[in-house]
Amino acid sequence: MLTYIAIGVGLFFAMNIGASGTAASMGAAYGGGAIRNKRLAMVIVAVAALLGAVIGGGEVVKTIGGGIVPTHLLSVQTVIVILASATLTLFFANMMGIPLSTSEVTVGSIVGVGLAYREVFVAKLAVIISFWILVPIVAFGIAFTLGKLIGRAEQKWPALQGQGSWRRWLSYLLVTGGAVEAFSAGMNNVANAVGPLVGAKIMTTEAGIWIGGLFVALGAILLGGKVLETNGKKITSLSLLQGSVVSFTGGLLVIIASVFGIPVPLVQATTCAILGVGTAENGFRLWQKNVIRQIIKVWVVSPVTSLVVSYAMVNLLLQPNPYVLIVIVSVFVATIGLLSLSRTIRQEKSAVHDQGGGI
């Protein structure tokens, strides 16, 4: 029964990955009008994600399934804890409107279990975290450079902004970029759902990749419409050529990381590519404090939250420890209190500022 529960949670997680991360890959193409049929966009995403998982998802599966903690820790019970922690963290984050990275959430859950049993491959974890820092920086740098070149080219040849006969070919380019991004998501993110199952010997690597890829594709088709609509509307300010730069930059960087078996957040790579293109066009005034705060919140909160949840579940359910429960509850209460105090201070400062402006 526990094995079936673990498989069920993993496949449900895979469908959510397909709905949120993978379906958003075609957001630029859909929002920019390069592809107008929403169902066709989701089918392209589903096929590309499945191909990415089957062709190149094996290395990341190995990392998630035994590269962060020893495989002997990955029993059916701990796999349920890992997948449940990741799923719960994503669920509550969605309820609060905070976008989290599935890769970071999954790695955080695995590390939480490893810390509970005091066994973590620190060197491998350090490599993964270095990629989390490096990939967004490189994405920004590449997109910024290409954005500058695009700006000059569009001024010299206005047709490159999507006018006349160029629009058709630029639309094809952007749709291809979205497919590359979806391919990279399948290559990297399917492992988040099935890697723990493979590590616990519940599935073979090949079966896990195929089954996980199919459920990610299913999630993109059945549940990805709303995400596609939202993501498309948010980035309609990008030209077809700029959107292509964002998709190809984020997708290719994630593919490179996947070849090395490193689970990386596609959403961060794409976000920083968008910021790079936007900064090239509008300057650094784009970097408002709330934008930076949101990015840092996603990077930090994603792994830390799932780590705490999985660590707590192990100490409450698998090896009960009342002292850990007291510490966790205390930290939770203190965190909520600090957040409430911070919000109150900001509101008071805002009120004082408004009063001063009135005078």
Side-chain angles (χ1 to χ4, degrees):
M1 179 61 70
L2 289 176
T3 300
Y4 289 129
I5 291 174
I7 293 172
V9 174
L11 297 183
F12 177 73
F13 189 29
M15 289 186 68
N16 279 277
I17 290 172
S20 59
T22 312
S25 303
M26 202 60 71
Y30 179 73
I35 184 167
R36 301 183 185 279
N37 189 317
K38 185 191 295 186
R39 180 62 60 183
L40 176 60
M42 291 189 292
V43 169
I44 293 173
V45 165
V47 173
L50 178 59
L51 288 174
V54 173
I55 293 173
E59 292 302 316
V60 186
V61 168
K62 291 178 184 177
T63 300
I64 295 292
I68 301 173
V69 297
T71 53
H72 69 80
L73 292 184
L74 296 176
S75 63
V76 175
Q77 292 88 343
T78 56
V79 166
I80 292 175
V81 166
I82 289 168
L83 294 174
S85 300
T87 305
L88 284 173
T89 303
L90 287 173
F91 174 76
F92 285 116
N94 289 332
M95 293 293 290
M96 292 184 293
I98 301 173
L100 298 187
S101 161
T102 53
S103 294
E104 292 184 352
V105 164
T106 305
V107 171
S109 297
I110 296 172
V111 173
V113 169
L115 289 176
Y117 290 103
R118 297 175 178 81
E119 291 188 69
V120 178
F121 295 142
V122 178
K124 186 68 174 182
L125 183 60
V127 172
I128 292 173
I129 293 175
S130 67
F131 266 77
W132 288 356
I133 297 170
L134 184 63
V135 167
I137 294 174
V138 173
F140 176 86
I142 293 174
F144 179 81
T145 303
L146 293 178
K148 286 289 188 182
L149 295 176
I150 288 172
R152 294 173 184 172
E154 289 180 343
Q155 286 181 352
K156 189 173 182 179
W157 299 290
L160 291 177
Q161 297 179 18
Q163 301 171 5
S165 59
W166 276 96
R167 180 170 182 82
R168 180 183 180 184
W169 297 107
L170 290 174
S171 295
Y172 287 151
L173 180 66
L174 182 53
V175 172
T176 303
V180 169
E181 200 172 351
F183 181 92
S184 74
M187 196 173 176
N188 201 273
N189 289 346
V190 167
N192 296 326
V194 300
L197 298 173
V198 172
K201 305 292 192 295
I202 296 174
M203 292 181 179
T204 63
T205 301
E206 185 176 355
I209 288 172
W210 273 101
I211 295 172
L214 287 170
F215 272 81
V216 167
L218 190 64
I221 293 174
L222 297 180
L223 307 174
K226 187 175 181 181
V227 180
L228 185 65
E229 188 77 29
T230 301
N231 203 61
K233 288 179 179 178
K234 285 183 178 178
I235 54 181
T236 50
S237 60
L238 294 177
S239 69
L240 295 176
L241 204 50
Q242 288 173 330
S244 300
V245 167
V246 169
S247 294
F248 277 108
T249 299
L252 291 175
L253 286 174
V254 172
I255 287 173
I256 292 171
S258 301
V259 170
F260 292 98
I262 305 297
V264 293
L266 174 61
V267 63
Q268 267 85 325
T270 303
T271 300
C272 286
I274 292 173
L275 285 174
V277 170
T279 304
E281 184 179 19
N282 302 309
F284 283 90
R285 63 175 178 273
L286 179 68
W287 288 74
Q288 300 172 6
K289 290 183 179 180
N290 59 338
V291 175
I292 304 300
R293 190 182 300 118
Q294 183 71 9
I295 294 173
I296 294 175
K297 184 188 296 184
V298 172
W299 285 343
V300 176
V301 170
S302 296
V304 171
T305 303
S306 59
L307 185 155
V308 171
V309 172
S310 64
Y311 182 84
M313 290 181 70
V314 168
N315 283 282
L316 295 177
L317 302 177
L318 303 185
Q319 50 177 21
N321 187 337
Y323 298 105
V324 173
L325 176 61
I326 294 172
V327 172
I328 291 172
V329 171
S330 301
V331 171
F332 178 77
V333 172
T335 302
I336 296 298
L338 287 173
L339 290 175
S340 300
L341 179 60
S342 176
R343 185 178 303 171
T344 302
I345 292 173
R346 287 200 303 269
Q347 289 174 349
E348 289 179 351
K349 286 183 177 179
S350 178
V352 171
H353 182 270
D354 291 340
Q355 289 176 1
I359 293 173

